[in-house]
Structure formats: C-alpha cells, structure tokens
Amino acid sequence: MLKRAFSTISDWAPSKATSASIGSGFSFNEKQLEHIQAEKHLKTQFAISNKPALLFRSVTHDLINAISETEDSKATLVVDGPRSSGKTATLMQTATHFSAKNWIVVHLKCASWISGIYPYQSSKDTYLQPQLALEILQSIQKQNEKLLFQVKSPLEKSMNDFLKEANLENSSERLQDFVAFIASHKERAPVLFCLDQANALYSNTAYHDKESNRLSSARFQIPSIFHQLANSELKNGSLVFGMDHSMPQIKSAWLNHKLKTIQPVNQVEETFDAPRYEDLSQVSEFGAVLDRKLDPLAHDLFASEFKGDIKAIQKYQVPFYSYEEVKQVLDLYKQVELIHKGSFTQHRRD
C-alpha cells in the first residue's frame, strides 16, 4: 500500500495575513478545526485530503483588514456574493484568524435554527428554542474557554462558568444575557460575531403556530437576539453576517431587496455569475407585475411581522474565483492529494 505524501503547506497563523500570502494555501490544525464551524462540503474535503487547507485570497485579506480596523462596530458587515464564490471559506478563514489572535469568536451557522428540527415553545409574544440555545452556548463556551474565564458575568462568576452551567431551564435567558453583556461590556478581549447563513435570520421558518400559520424568524427569540445586536453598537468588536444562496428554504426576499440598494465597500471585478437580487418593486414571487406604488415587500410575510431593521449595513462582496485563483486552487488540491495528476493552464472563453 502506498504511503501518502505529507504536504509541506504550513498552518495558518495571524502573521500570515499579509498581501505576500495571497494565492498561497494554508492548513488548519486540529484545535482550529475543533473550535471553528466548517460547512459539510468543507468537512468532506478536509477528510479526504492529507491536510485540511484553503487558498488565502485577496478578498479574505481585505476582509480581515476591514475587521481589524474597526474598534466599535456601528454597522453590520454583510458578506455576499454568488453561489459557490467562497463565502463560507472566507468566513471560516476570517474566524480562524481572529480566534488565533485571541479574540472572542462566536462563529455560528443559522440555517438549522429555522428548519423545524428543534423543539419550540411559546412564551408571551415570542417562541423559545431551549435545546438550540443550549447548543449555541456550549459551542461558544468551547470556542472561547480561556478568554471567557477572564470576563465576569452579571452573576459575578466567570463568563465561562456562566455558559458552562447553562441547562434547558435557563439556556434561553442565558443566551440573551450573554449577547447583551458581551456587546456592551468593553473590558474584555475584542469580539467577533460571525454568523453564516444569516439570511435565515430574516426569512420565514418551517414552524407553525396553533392555527397552522407559518411563523417568521422574527417571532423566535434567538433570531431576535441577533436582530437586536444588528441594531446596536458593538463595543470593541465586529458583527459579520454571511449570506447563503444555496438553500432556497432560507431565502430572504427582505434582505435580498435591502442588499440590492447598497454598493459594496470593497472594489471587486465583475464576474459572469454576479449575485442576482430580486427587483421586488416590479415583480412578485409569483411572477406578477406589481404597481410601483405598492410596498416592494408587501408580498413577503416576514416583512409584515418584522418590527426592527439592521441599523446600518456595509456590503462586502466576495467575487467568483478568477481564472488565476482557479489555477491556484487546483494546484493546492494537488498538494493535499485531492487530485493526483494533470497540469493546469489558463484558458479564457471568447
């Protein structure tokens, strides 16, 4: 049996986040993979390669710089781009970078929150998901154990113990208290809230009320916690949302329409597969032409229930891979033995 060659690709470290590293591949060690959430397809890719690695792109370099330069976040940075442009990989590398720099990193994926798989219960004018809240708290505690030991919670114990002692009875309340406290408490390490699939926070869900009416995510406590965070100033940190256009069930007509009206803060080349935003002022979801005088969100069940808004948005555009980047990715795949033969040259279509 042939012994697999070990890749010479080096592990990611904050010192590598320079322009000189653009176009190179960097790997993740076991600790980084344990603390940062990877998408299913990336987990599969990492499992069958001899070393889990991703290409460091200029768009990731620029995003890291943009977050690093922000002291108090007054705007939500929404990472958007066409499907398969590398948004999830960009967010994963960014979260890994700031975790290695000893930031408190809350890296979460939101699609399952509205999928109907978690038990839910009515409480006053909202719906709670205690099991989901507990899993989120456990994830945050494991990602940031050492740093959270240094932060005192409202109960005069370490924030690490505050999260670790959560249970199904108090998880919903503790999640709300944690986010509110961390967002306003400046005497701590910098914090990065990095929420992938964030369009799920602003869409309809798979849940229904007692009358079988479909519930929007705005009716649930956990999405509402992050709605509130997006409407406030985050002390000594940044809030980053990542869009996911691969799952129709988390599509948000409201957020798509909002992003359509915003120019990206970064300069990117136009690609043949640019993001497609609905012009909701003219066409409904059923293809019917709407009167321009109508509210462009009138047909969106979510819009009629949503009482808040994102205070300020900065759109950060992730472009589709350039031809040069595709070649660099294929070369990286050869190094980690995802592919074994062949040479790669650049071909442009006329």
Side-chain angles (χ1 to χ4, degrees):
M1 184 175 180
L2 292 175
K3 185 178 180 180
R4 301 184 77 185
F6 189 75
S7 173
T8 58
I9 295 171
S10 60
D11 286 347
W12 177 258
S15 60
K16 306 290 177 64
T18 66
S19 57
S21 298
I22 294 172
S24 299
F26 293 97
S27 61
F28 302 96
N29 58 42
E30 289 184 10
K31 183 178 179 181
Q32 290 168 336
L33 287 177
E34 180 183 347
H35 290 176
I36 301 300
Q37 295 195 12
E39 184 57 88
K40 184 177 180 180
H41 71 275
L42 287 178
K43 287 181 179 179
T44 302
Q45 175 183 315
F46 294 160
I48 63 176
S49 59
N50 66 20
K51 207 171 188 182
L54 292 172
L55 183 74
F56 184 61
R57 303 171 66 193
S58 60
V59 68
T60 311
H61 170 266
D62 294 345
L63 178 59
I64 286 172
N65 283 345
I67 295 172
S68 299
E69 294 167 1
T70 303
E71 182 176 350
D72 293 341
S73 178
K74 296 176 181 168
T76 301
L77 190 59
V78 180
V79 176
D80 198 14
R83 181 178 176 179
S84 300
S85 60
K87 299 182 294 298
T88 292
T90 296
L91 290 174
M92 182 180 173
Q93 286 178 305
T94 301
T96 302
H97 172 81
F98 286 102
S99 181
K101 285 195 71 175
N102 291 319
W103 281 42
I104 297 170
V105 174
V106 179
H107 184 211
L108 302 169
K109 305 186 78 64
C110 306
S112 65
W113 300 2
I114 66 168
S115 64
I117 64 174
Y118 287 98
Y120 67 115
Q121 60 192 53
S122 178
S123 175
K124 297 181 181 179
D125 57 347
T126 190
Y127 288 89
L128 305 179
Q129 297 163 292
Q131 181 61 45
L132 173 59
L134 184 60
E135 290 182 14
I136 292 173
L137 290 173
Q138 290 170 340
S139 173
I140 295 170
Q141 186 269 328
K142 289 178 182 177
Q143 289 176 32
N144 304 281
E145 185 172 5
K146 290 183 180 179
L147 291 171
L148 292 177
F149 263 124
Q150 303 168 19
V151 182
K152 272 195 173 181
S153 75
L155 298 182
E156 294 301 315
K157 59 177 66 178
S158 77
M159 185 58 76
N160 184 72
D161 290 341
F162 180 77
L163 301 189
K164 205 168 186 179
E165 295 170 5
N167 53 54
L168 288 175
E169 297 297 322
N170 61 24
S171 59
S172 297
E173 182 180 359
R174 291 210 171 187
L175 178 59
Q176 184 149 0
D177 290 345
F178 168 79
V179 174
F181 184 80
I182 288 294
S184 59
H185 187 69
K186 202 167 185 176
E187 300 303 318
R188 49 153 174 74
V191 62
L192 171 64
F193 284 92
C194 186
L195 275 65
D196 202 0
Q197 302 171 331
N199 29 331
L201 301 177
Y202 300 92
S203 67
N204 291 307
T205 76
Y207 294 99
H208 295 78
D209 63 17
K210 293 179 180 179
E211 286 75 40
S212 297
N213 297 311
R214 195 176 180 188
L215 294 169
S216 75
S217 57
R219 300 287 302 278
F220 286 80
Q221 181 226 19
I222 294 177
S224 295
I225 288 173
F226 295 101
H227 294 164
Q228 186 174 354
L229 183 62
N231 271 298
S232 58
E233 182 177 326
L234 176 58
K235 299 289 186 182
N236 192 21
S238 290
L239 173 61
V240 178
F241 284 170
M243 296 289 285
D244 186 333
H245 298 297
S246 66
M247 302 176 66
Q249 56 268 46
I250 65 169
K251 179 179 176 181
S252 171
W254 179 85
L255 192 51
N256 282 348
H257 179 74
K258 196 159 185 79
L259 288 171
K260 178 179 183 291
T261 64
I262 301 171
Q263 291 298 317
V265 295
N266 60 320
Q267 298 296 322
V268 295
E269 293 184 9
E270 292 292 332
T271 65
F272 59 86
D273 191 16
R276 297 177 176 86
Y277 302 114
E278 296 88 350
D279 185 358
L280 300 180
S281 63
Q282 298 182 49
V283 181
S284 77
E285 61 181 334
F286 302 108
V289 177
L290 299 178
D291 187 331
R292 290 178 180 271
K293 294 180 182 180
L294 291 176
D295 180 352
L297 301 173
H299 73 279
D300 189 356
L301 296 177
F302 178 80
S304 63
E305 295 183 357
F306 185 43
K307 306 301 181 185
D309 199 348
I310 301 179
K311 185 176 181 181
I313 292 179
Q314 290 184 338
K315 182 170 70 174
Y316 193 87
Q317 197 76 28
V318 176
F320 203 73
Y321 285 79
S322 67
Y323 288 100
E324 180 62 27
E325 286 177 326
V326 170
K327 181 178 182 298
Q328 291 166 347
V329 168
L330 291 174
D331 287 336
L332 174 63
Y333 285 176
K334 286 178 66 178
Q335 291 182 63
V336 299
E337 296 188 346
L338 274 174
I339 51 179
H340 297 272
K341 293 182 180 180
S343 59
F344 310 108
T345 56
Q346 183 169 314
H347 295 281
R348 288 191 176 275
R349 295 181 295 178
D350 295 332

